[in-house]
Amino acid sequence: MSVIRTDLWLLDLYDNPIKICAMLTEYFKEVSAAELYNYLTLHGMYRQPSKNGITLVKRLQNKNIWKFIQYEEQVLQKIWKGLNVPIFIMPSESNDQNLKQNFNGKSGISFRDKIFLFISEHNEENELKALLTHEYNHVCRLSKYEKDVKDYVLLDSIILEGLAENAVRERSGGKFVSKWVSYYSKERLEGMWKNIVQPNKNIPINNRKHHQILYGVEPYPNMAGYCVGYYLVKKFIEKHGSTCIDLIDQPSKKIVESIF
């Protein structure tokens, strides 16, 4: 199935994202179009249509984004022996300052059986390659790690993110990893692990504090959970001579215990 031609949907329905989400409900269980729209916009999809929306879609078409992502997904599926999942590409929210600061205007969200990519016209191919690598790694982890997402705790979430961004590092040589990987020194990351993440590692995914630590909502450092997760996975890889694919199905607790 792979990349869905959402460019055609957008040319017809860009000004009515709720209708676009209605077309997506078949990929979800018991979710309304409005609920899905609210959920996807929380993760980076455009909220309010802009005056130049159709022009943006055409520019993305001219850059062959849908074809490029299709090719990259096939490469990842082959090297990681992953699933063939539908991928939906949508414009990102241009007014989201967090998205601009931490992710250069792009974002994504993954499930066991699908991926959403939210992008801007300013994102280059190498950025999109990195974004898809990150999100497709999530698909592999979610499908091979024997734990349901609803049962995830903070430790599972930071390892999930750490694995995905280390996968980007492995593919790109570190040139196209996200900016947040370099926010803090090793010493600061060790302190964040010991003082913030470790004491809260078993907080469930539906707890507000889980989200606050993972993304670094005040009073926590910006992108705290992401940064600590990247640091821990990289530390494991360097210590044991492993790769991300070696860890894809390993319990989060086992990974961390093998570091210290």
Side-chain angles (χ1 to χ4, degrees):
M1 184 176 288
S2 294
V3 178
I4 306 301
R5 291 298 302 275
T6 51
D7 55 327
L8 304 181
W9 300 3
L10 289 160
L11 289 176
D12 288 338
L13 298 169
Y14 173 83
D15 291 327
N16 196 333
I18 296 291
K19 284 191 176 180
I20 291 178
C21 288
M23 300 174 71
L24 293 167
T25 54
E26 67 175 284
Y27 297 93
F28 293 85
K29 292 181 179 179
E30 300 178 356
V31 176
S32 70
E35 289 171 330
L36 185 54
Y37 171 70
N38 289 333
Y39 182 77
L40 294 179
T41 55
L42 284 175
H43 291 274
M45 178 179 165
Y46 73 102
R47 299 186 186 93
Q48 296 298 326
S50 70
K51 294 179 180 179
N52 301 318
I54 298 300
T55 301
L56 166 61
V57 175
K58 289 180 179 179
R59 285 175 179 167
L60 294 176
Q61 281 185 318
N62 290 336
K63 292 173 73 173
N64 293 314
I65 298 302
W66 280 261
K67 184 177 180 180
F68 174 75
I69 295 297
Q70 175 78 52
Y71 170 78
E72 286 297 320
E73 190 269 347
Q74 291 172 347
V75 171
L76 289 169
Q77 185 183 348
K78 183 176 181 179
I79 63 176
W80 288 344
K81 297 180 174 59
L83 301 174
N84 180 14
V85 300
I87 301 172
F88 304 91
I89 303 170
M90 301 282 185
S92 60
E93 175 51 52
S94 60
N95 295 317
D96 189 320
Q97 294 304 312
N98 176 60
L99 211 60
K100 289 181 180 179
Q101 178 184 346
N102 293 313
F103 302 100
N104 198 29
K106 65 187 185 301
S107 183
I109 183 170
S110 301
F111 304 83
R112 288 176 184 266
D113 58 353
K114 49 190 165 283
I115 293 173
F116 288 83
L117 304 178
F118 307 118
I119 66 175
S120 78
E121 63 179 308
H122 305 297
N123 298 135
E124 300 297 331
E125 282 191 350
N126 281 319
E127 289 183 88
L128 300 179
K129 178 179 177 179
L131 176 62
L132 180 64
T133 300
H134 184 106
E135 297 302 328
Y136 191 78
N137 186 268
H138 282 344
V139 170
C140 294
R141 174 71 169 170
L142 293 171
S143 62
K144 295 179 180 181
Y145 177 33
E146 294 183 355
K147 188 171 187 178
D148 197 295
V149 174
K150 66 179 178 59
D151 298 321
Y152 268 36
V153 295
L154 181 61
L155 184 62
D156 295 310
S157 296
I158 70 163
I159 294 300
L160 176 75
E161 298 299 342
L163 278 170
E165 202 61 22
N166 271 283
V168 175
R169 180 181 57 81
E170 288 178 356
R171 286 198 80 197
S172 69
K175 189 175 181 180
F176 295 101
V177 293
S178 296
K179 291 188 293 184
W180 50 261
V181 306
S182 59
Y183 281 179
Y184 308 107
S185 66
K186 289 183 178 180
E187 292 74 20
R188 181 79 188 279
L189 289 164
E190 286 282 354
M192 289 163 62
W193 161 247
K194 292 177 181 177
N195 300 318
I196 298 174
V197 178
Q198 189 176 30
N200 295 290
K201 64 183 180 180
N202 293 317
I203 289 180
I205 196 170
N206 59 358
N207 186 297
R208 183 182 178 188
K209 194 173 182 180
H210 172 285
H211 174 87
Q212 290 177 316
I213 296 175
L214 182 64
Y215 289 96
V217 179
E218 289 188 0
Y220 301 105
N222 187 24
M223 301 296 290
Y226 273 70
C227 294
V228 171
Y230 178 82
Y231 171 68
L232 293 177
V233 172
K234 188 170 183 285
K235 190 170 183 175
F236 181 101
I237 288 170
E238 291 173 345
K239 181 177 181 179
H240 297 282
S242 307
T243 64
C244 288
I245 199 62
D246 297 324
L247 301 177
I248 206 71
D249 62 348
Q250 295 300 303
S252 305
K253 184 178 178 181
K254 182 179 178 180
I255 292 173
V256 172
E257 288 177 344
S258 298
I259 299 172
F260 300 103

